[in-house]
Amino acid sequence: MMTIEEIQRLLRSTETSRIERTVSTTNMDKLQEAICAFSNDMSDSRQNGYLIIGAKDNGELSGLKVDDALYQKIAGIRSDGNILPIPMMTCERYEMEGGVIC
């Protein structure tokens, strides 16, 4: 599990081939594409990729509410069969000032 300080550092950084931020929780295709891109590691960074759901492009939190149903939906992307082979992925929920991110 990442620390709040590590999350804040990711929120302050620019988007890269390893960091994607979105406020969308309904466009599962966009989320799956980002996870697939991280899994393919096209930049050959050999580092983790981070999809931060609930943050705007500028790193500001969107005020997202993450209930159990949304959390399970996002966590389910890993094994729903739309990304093969199954990616190595974890899903974490962080409560921060200004909203929740996943």
Side-chain angles (χ1 to χ4, degrees):
M1 186 168 194
M2 296 180 70
T3 66
I4 294 295
E5 292 77 23
E6 290 171 318
I7 296 293
Q8 289 170 334
R9 191 170 44 251
L10 289 175
L11 289 171
R12 288 190 303 267
S13 70
T14 57
E15 285 192 336
T16 66
S17 62
R18 295 183 41 242
I19 302 168
E20 173 76 22
R21 291 184 283 265
T22 185
V23 296
S24 176
T25 58
T26 57
N27 187 350
M28 297 308 284
D29 287 343
K30 178 180 180 176
L31 304 181
Q32 291 169 350
E33 287 172 8
I35 293 166
C36 188
F38 294 148
S39 296
N40 288 325
D41 191 19
M42 296 302 285
S43 64
D44 197 31
S45 69
R46 299 181 187 265
Q47 296 178 336
N48 292 336
Y50 298 95
L51 174 59
I52 304 171
I53 302 168
K56 300 176 184 175
D57 287 340
N58 64 3
E60 182 181 313
L61 299 187
S62 66
L64 177 68
K65 304 276 189 260
V66 180
D67 60 11
D68 285 341
L70 177 59
Y71 183 83
Q72 289 177 355
K73 181 178 178 182
I74 294 167
I77 291 173
R78 178 186 178 278
S79 58
D80 66 6
N82 289 322
I83 303 174
L84 295 173
I86 295 174
M88 186 179 344
M89 169 185 141
T90 60
C91 185
E92 302 288 342
R93 182 181 186 276
Y94 295 89
E95 291 188 33
M96 303 177 72
E97 187 175 320
V100 176
I101 61 170
C102 194

